[in-house]
Amino acid sequence: LAAAREISQGEFGRPSVFRVSDPEETNTVLKLYGVDGHPLERLIRHRGLEPGSRCLMLGRADGEAGFARNLFRCVRRICRGEKGMYLTGYPVKAWEHGRYSDPYLRDALGDFGIVIDTLETSVRWDQVRPVHQAVRSFLKERPGTMALAHSSHFYPQGTNLYFIFIARMDDVAEYRSFQRGVIDRIEAAGGSLSHHHGVGRMMGDRLEGHLGPVAMGALKALKNYFDPRGVMNPGGLGL
């Protein structure tokens, strides 16, 4: 996190791909990407980076050659300063290969009663750990639940957190209650209702409490002005 923050505030450019996974997601993706059992894994363990205590940062520099080289040098210097270990481009290439195919697993696993859901939030840098710990603690209270988290959008002021939970659930009511519990923990710890996927119907009833009556009043006034008959996404955002 310290390295990601310094990179985001460095003003030497931004990686075109930039992700940081928490320890549980790191263990999962290293298996998916074929690093588990690869010579890289032995080297990682030799450096004392054991499962459960390591985080994977993926990055890629694109653009004009001199810009990309300088960006790579700056990122590598910062990560070395935080005792990071360079894993070559192998994990990034493996991630790119599965970037758009892995999500299809969700549909297949659904046939076996396994639910995969994602919720995301935006946080200031000082909120990352409290929000992550609060949500992860809630997710792991439920036996047999995988709790993965990563950041993939970075700014000088903060970042986002994606939470992915994977669990066997046969009851829709249980799923809805569990999902609302995740949202409760995000809000209580200071995270936003959404980062970029939007609030929509799922969290629309919470929007006024989150934004406050003045901001919500402005949204309602805009909605009434541009859609006086209420035909545009009626009920969305709690409007």
Side-chain angles (χ1 to χ4, degrees):
L1 286 173
R5 180 173 185 170
E6 188 173 349
I7 292 165
S8 301
Q9 297 175 345
E11 298 186 350
F12 46 77
R14 299 282 183 84
S16 54
V17 170
F18 194 18
R19 294 167 64 95
V20 178
S21 295
D22 76 349
E24 185 165 355
E25 181 168 288
T26 294
N27 291 342
T28 302
V29 298
L30 288 181
K31 289 181 171 63
L32 288 173
Y33 300 163
V35 175
D36 198 27
H38 190 276
L40 269 176
E41 172 68 15
R42 293 194 292 274
L43 188 58
I44 294 169
R45 287 176 180 265
H46 180 72
R47 289 282 297 272
L49 300 171
E50 297 290 336
S53 62
R54 59 193 185 189
C55 292
L56 179 67
M57 175 186 285
L58 295 177
R60 174 176 171 148
D62 285 308
E64 189 272 330
F67 166 81
R69 282 195 298 269
N70 181 64
L71 177 59
F72 176 77
R73 284 195 296 266
C74 291
V75 169
R76 190 168 182 177
R77 172 182 54 79
I78 290 169
C79 291
R80 279 178 171 173
E82 295 294 340
K83 300 181 181 178
M85 175 186 173
Y86 178 52
L87 298 181
T88 76
Y90 178 82
V92 178
K93 291 177 181 177
W95 172 81
E96 289 174 341
H97 178 73
R99 175 67 180 88
Y100 296 104
S101 59
D102 291 348
Y104 287 99
L105 289 171
R106 179 181 61 185
D107 298 331
L109 290 172
D111 294 338
F112 296 91
I114 297 174
V115 172
I116 302 178
D117 197 12
T118 303
L119 297 101
E120 39 85 54
T121 181
S122 55
V123 290
R124 299 190 312 266
W125 285 111
D126 62 320
Q127 296 172 306
V128 177
R129 290 185 183 277
V131 174
H132 176 263
Q133 291 172 359
V135 175
R136 179 172 168 78
S137 295
F138 173 76
L139 292 172
K140 299 306 284 187
E141 285 175 3
R142 186 182 186 278
T145 300
M146 293 182 66
L148 315 180
H150 67 262
S151 297
S152 54
H153 298 75
F154 294 87
Y155 314 94
Q157 304 86 357
T159 183
N160 77 313
L161 283 171
Y162 270 103
F163 294 102
I164 304 170
F165 66 83
I166 306 173
R168 184 178 295 279
M169 292 186 185
D170 297 318
D171 184 56
V172 174
E174 180 192 9
Y175 160 71
R176 289 177 176 166
S177 175
F178 191 69
Q179 185 192 64
R180 300 295 278 192
V182 176
I183 299 168
D184 288 341
R185 271 48 176 202
I186 289 174
E187 275 206 288
S192 67
L193 284 180
S194 175
H195 173 255
H196 64 283
H197 287 302
V199 173
R201 297 175 185 278
M202 187 173 75
M203 294 177 283
D205 60 337
R206 297 177 179 234
L207 191 59
E208 184 164 2
H210 187 74
L211 295 178
V214 175
M216 194 66 178
L219 289 178
K220 287 179 178 178
L222 288 170
K223 179 74 162 63
N224 291 333
Y225 182 83
F226 288 108
D227 184 26
R229 291 186 295 168
V231 297
M232 298 169 59
N233 190 25
L237 297 178
L239 298 175

